Amino acid sequence: MARRGARPPVGALAGLPVAVDAMGGDKAPGEIVAGARAAADAGLPVVLVGPPDQVGETAGLELVACTEVIAMDEDAGQAVRRKKDSSLVRAAELVRDGAASAMVSAGNTGATMASALLRMGRLPGVTRPCIATPLPRLGRTPAVLVDAGANAECTPAMLVQFAQMASAYVAARFGIAEPSVGLLSIGEEPNKGTPLVKEAHQLLVAAGVRFEGNVEGRDLLPSPVDVVVTDGFTGNVALKALEGSLRFFLETILGILATDETTRAAGDALMPHLLPVAAELDPDNTGGAMLLGTDGVCVISHGSSSAAAVTSAVRVAHDLAVGDLVGRLASAVARG
Amino acid sequence: MARRGARPPVGALAGLPVAVDAMGGDKAPGEIVAGARAAADAGLPVVLVGPPDQVGETAGLELVACTEVIAMDEDAGQAVRRKKDSSLVRAAELVRDGAASAMVSAGNTGATMASALLRMGRLPGVTRPCIATPLPRLGRTPAVLVDAGANAECTPAMLVQFAQMASAYVAARFGIAEPSVGLLSIGEEPNKGTPLVKEAHQLLVAAGVRFEGNVEGRDLLPSPVDVVVTDGFTGNVALKALEGSLRFFLETILGILATDETTRAAGDALMPHLLPVAAELDPDNTGGAMLLGTDGVCVISHGSSSAAAVTSAVRVAHDLAVGDLVGRLASAVARG
């Protein structure tokens, strides 16, 4: 497949570091540096990117110095245009220039996406990149929801590409040979939903993916299909609704357990069973969201990422870059 | 305000029965009849509607006989057109003809809506009726989400009417003088979201409601605003995502409590605290969803409604009909 000039051959990616935005996320730089250090200790090549005076202690890791940082709440488009020497933009350039195999950031999602898109470029044939976010399924590999918020407005053809790319991603990441795909709608019947959804349903039948029809909001947790496709507006609302309800239930349960001596004792008895479930639902342990459709691997870790989440994101980014995710995505779109 | 010829004056509604679709819902007719009976025992006037041979025992309640039933999974538009002597259509006609104050069904949501719309008609000035569904807030009156699924496609002006009607409904039902309104989007900033949302945001500022800006999916449980406005596609997906996660968490917790002797004992200790929370989250106890914008009160109870849910729905329907909800909705739309 066609690749932009500067990108190294896939075989060379294993030797390149993953570029980690040291200043991205609510817990940056402390947890980010610690997570990158742990990744390096596990044998994963990694390089930090950030302003030396703000990053501070690098735990012995190489730091690619820059002068600017894009804040969590900055307007993404504007920030990426103006802050050309920011850690996010520089990390994307390292991938573009063949100096890094992939990039990881727990920072401003919109700015991460814009940096990757503007510096790495789109894959040939891809209309718009999209974000694939894990949906936990207890005791199994997670499903993914795509688009989780990259594109508020979508066309039916874009949803088809999202399905093709997410299928290739799930196959590469979780080893599922032919991932099943569902279209998020308000009823199982093909004639339910908006014109966008009805047309996408028709197109998905012939899109070269294992399309199993519509799924509904109640099917997101746990998902019966490996890939749930939707536009970025609906996807973002649905994901945040799930996150909000998860937080609500955890706070409610913890509040009950803290009531008195009796409930605290009950809580002690239940903890060995509750903790593994909480761990499986924790975004820290899923490796983050994946930007699909740019000419380079970009992992968007949760804004509240701990060191463990960063280590996990670096591992996923490295493995998928080496496994030629980018080539697989381009093939999936070209074939579809 | 203008009223269709056959409708009785508001003052006469208190003496009229609430028409209950005896055949609507997964537990019909048993739980429906039992719930209507309990409502009558509590002094609420009520009449059942259904085919005598299918309803069977009416527990001494009056039954308006008809010959047909619309099933839960039938195509709504087609069913309402063809089954002119169905319990749903007949219940709506009782309201239209001034023989009932309001209607209640736990049956096919689309068919309930279509029956009410086609038989009662729209309120003057209302473009499209919408569904307002309660969002639980522990220890407080629920918020409502509107539109919960009546209209997959919406215009900005429709969202404004939904906000106006839902505000009047929340004021009438929960006694909140000036309910706060939020617009569901993918960011707090007015420029985030689809063109529909961005334009609705501008219109809501001058719509005569207490508009407090955008809210996100994570704000649905518990909602910081009294009314959350969205299109019927997004609303339906979000509500079902919340329902699905509620079911998922309950099943997960119950599974953990059933593990062994120790967890069962812990469960016994926690039950007095868990049950009140579960009760507040149970759709059975919220009085059901409300159809807003038809010339008559129509309560759409949950498909799995128990007798208690039906009793609650009858009470809400009666009180709101007597309190002239329909007049308040028409005024809210005319004023806005």
Side-chain angles (χ1 to χ4, degrees), chain A residues 152-153 184 186 194-195 197 216-218 221 233 236 240-242 245-249 256 259 263 270 273, chain B residues 152-153 184 186 194-195 197 216-218 221 233 236-237 240-242 245-249 256 259 263 270 273:
Chain A
E153 283 179 89
L184 189 57
I186 57 174
T194 57
V197 168
E216 299 187 61
R218 66 169 65 93
L221 199 65
F233 183 86
N236 188 274
K240 287 181 178 166
L242 293 178
S245 72
L246 172 58
R247 186 198 56 205
F248 170 80
F249 288 115
I256 287 175
T259 310
T263 59
L270 295 177
H273 304 278
Chain B
E153 283 178 89
L184 188 58
I186 56 175
T194 58
V197 168
E216 298 188 59
R218 67 167 67 94
L221 199 63
F233 184 85
N236 188 275
V237 167
K240 287 181 178 164
L242 293 178
S245 72
L246 172 57
R247 187 198 56 209
F248 169 80
F249 287 115
I256 287 175
T259 310
T263 60
L270 296 177
H273 304 278

Side-chain angles (χ1 to χ4, degrees), chain A residues 89-161:
Chain A
V89 172
R90 290 295 176 215
E93 288 176 353
L94 290 174
V95 179
R96 178 195 65 187
D97 298 340
S101 63
M103 70 180 278
V104 166
S105 179
N108 184 318
T109 297
T112 305
M113 202 168 64
S115 299
L117 179 57
L118 293 173
R119 290 302 185 268
M120 302 175 186
R122 276 175 305 188
L123 281 176
V126 169
T127 306
R128 296 284 292 273
C130 57
I131 296 175
T133 297
L135 294 169
R137 300 189 283 194
L138 299 183
R140 298 177 55 195
T141 58
V144 304
L145 183 125
V146 63
D147 176 19
N151 308 281
E153 283 179 89
C154 293
T155 63
M158 281 166 65
L159 295 195
V160 169
Q161 286 199 337

Side-chain angles (χ1 to χ4, degrees), chain A residues 5-20:
Chain A
R7 295 291 314 283
V10 170
L13 292 174
L16 293 177
V18 172
V20 176

Side-chain angles (χ1 to χ4, degrees), chain B residues 25-41:
Chain B
D26 303 331
K27 297 169 184 167
E31 291 288 302
I32 311 299
V33 173
R37 178 69 256 171
D41 291 343

Side-chain angles (χ1 to χ4, degrees), chain B residues 297-314:
Chain B
V297 170
C298 174
V299 173
I300 304 172
S301 203
H302 209 266
S304 60
S305 289
S306 66
V310 174
T311 306
S312 164
V314 169

Side-chain angles (χ1 to χ4, degrees), chain B residues 167-195:
Chain B
S167 292
Y169 163 56
V170 166
R173 171 129 186 237
F174 301 118
I176 296 174
E178 223 187 325
S180 55
V181 174
L183 176 66
L184 188 58
S185 188
I186 56 175
E188 288 181 9
E189 306 85 344
N191 64 338
K192 282 285 177 71
T194 58

